[in-house]
Amino acid sequence: MAMVTEKLLEDGRPSRNRVAIPVMGIFVFLLCFAAFLSYGLARYYQPFINFASQFKLTVAFTDNWVYVLTINRFIVAGGWAILGVPGGLLAFILVLWMKKRKKGYTPLLVFLVLAGSVALVAGLFKYVFLHFFPTIFGDNTPAVHNIVRLIILFSEITFYGFGLLIGMFSWFDPLIHGRFSPIYSRRSLMLRKLNGKEKRAFKKSFRKMWINRDYDAMVRLLYEDHAVPGMNQAMDPDTYRRMRENIIDSYGRAKGDELDYLYFSGQFDALRADQQAIQAALEAGRQSSPAPARTVKAVDSKGNVVEVPLITVGEDEPVSPEVAKAIQRGKKRQAREK
């Protein structure tokens, strides 16, 4: 498992899991499926055909542009696609949202738009253009009608078929993380160790920190199970790397502040003495055996009290306000002298 860093959390924030996506996907799937179901019932289910044939539907655009169809014939002729429009529009909105958050959904969006565009253009050609120019193809007009009808049918099936796929993909969206999977793997690992109120508190804290972009606190939260000594429990490599970098960074900043103070306060011989002391310590370490390690009492996994070596690098104390002001004055004075 790769280590979770503040940069990884910042980059992964836009793609974080959203409950609304699979919920919206359920509605997309049901609405698109309802369109297919209405077509199947109106074409193949005889009890529904017998019932729907009793009712007629009149669609009139002008006095000479009128369609009179029974309900089942209207559905088969294209009404099923009209019934599915809400599902198709919702599928388009959903896949746009999914694509914006995570890569990989572009093919779904492309095929959905292409199929919808073909169905729309073919429909306008058949029901508008051929209506006003019925003899433009002469004796071939019936064949053109049939070809266009097939194009409309297949494009509509493709459109709503991809609507179903988008709905189903949205159910698995919370499991698709790509390069951000270490975040969720580490979160799952932590949740498996917690129960009840602790688990709910962890989830709430994690969500709040992500909303507030508090990435440093999120990293500490994800690795807090290894932050407290006492049980000498095993530490996974990722946690060790995180803790190692944090300790080195902390000691480095503290030592840097100390050196800044010595320099800007004019204690140049102290800087030279510090460097000489470090060099002498390194030389002495090469020539003699290391000093016995300090130990601290701890409890192992079996409940036994053991002595655990304690490695001390140096003090990590914050710089006092007076020292911080002296550093700032020294920096300003140096800038003026340049």
Side-chain angles (χ1 to χ4, degrees), residues 33-207:
F33 181 75
F36 283 109
L37 182 63
S38 65
Y39 180 85
L41 291 174
R43 189 174 181 87
Y44 302 108
Y45 189 59
Q46 197 60 44
F48 180 85
I49 295 173
N50 295 336
F51 173 77
S53 297
Q54 303 175 32
F55 305 95
K56 289 186 177 182
L57 181 67
T58 301
V59 180
F61 298 100
T62 64
D63 292 340
N64 297 322
W65 192 2
V66 180
Y67 295 97
V68 180
L69 300 168
T70 59
I71 295 296
N72 67 298
R73 287 194 61 191
F74 168 75
I75 293 175
V76 172
W80 70 277
I82 297 175
L83 295 174
V85 166
L89 291 176
L90 201 60
F92 178 72
I93 294 171
L94 178 59
V95 75
L96 273 180
W97 188 18
M98 292 165 62
K99 177 183 176 297
K100 184 178 179 181
R101 297 175 65 256
K102 298 177 181 178
K103 296 179 180 179
Y105 294 114
T106 301
L108 290 176
L109 175 63
V110 170
F111 282 110
L112 185 75
V113 171
L114 284 177
S117 300
V118 171
L120 181 62
V121 172
L124 292 174
F125 180 80
K126 175 176 171 55
Y127 296 107
V128 178
F129 182 81
L130 291 180
H131 172 79
F132 289 106
F133 304 97
T135 60
I136 193 171
F137 294 103
D139 296 337
N140 296 321
T141 300
V144 173
H145 273 279
N146 290 332
I147 293 172
V148 175
R149 187 182 297 112
L150 287 175
I151 293 174
I152 293 173
L153 179 61
F154 286 125
S155 58
E156 288 173 342
I157 291 174
T158 303
F159 179 78
Y160 291 111
F162 273 97
L164 292 177
L165 283 177
I166 290 167
M168 289 188 289
F169 267 101
S170 71
W171 303 339
F172 300 99
D173 183 77
L175 304 177
I176 303 172
H177 300 120
R179 71 185 184 93
F180 306 116
S181 58
I183 300 172
Y184 300 92
S185 298
R186 185 71 201 182
R187 179 178 180 272
S188 299
L189 179 64
M190 290 293 296
L191 288 174
R192 286 198 295 269
K193 300 178 181 180
L194 303 175
N195 294 298
K197 292 182 179 179
E198 291 181 343
K199 180 177 289 189
R200 289 193 294 272
F202 182 92
K203 290 181 178 178
K204 183 178 179 181
S205 298
F206 187 85
R207 184 169 58 252

Side-chain angles (χ1 to χ4, degrees), residues 18-27 94 167 170-174:
R18 294 292 184 88
V19 176
I21 286 181
V23 172
M24 189 175 177
I26 292 174
F27 286 101
L94 178 59
S170 71
W171 303 339
F172 300 99
D173 183 77

Side-chain angles (χ1 to χ4, degrees), residues 9 17 30 35 46 67 79 81 91 108 111 151 168 182 197 210-211 234 251 271 283 290 306 314 322:
L9 289 167
N17 290 342
L30 292 177
Q46 197 60 44
Y67 295 97
L108 290 176
F111 282 110
I151 293 174
M168 289 188 289
K197 292 182 179 179
W210 216 338
I211 291 173
Y251 277 117
L271 284 171
E283 292 295 333
V306 295
E322 292 78 15

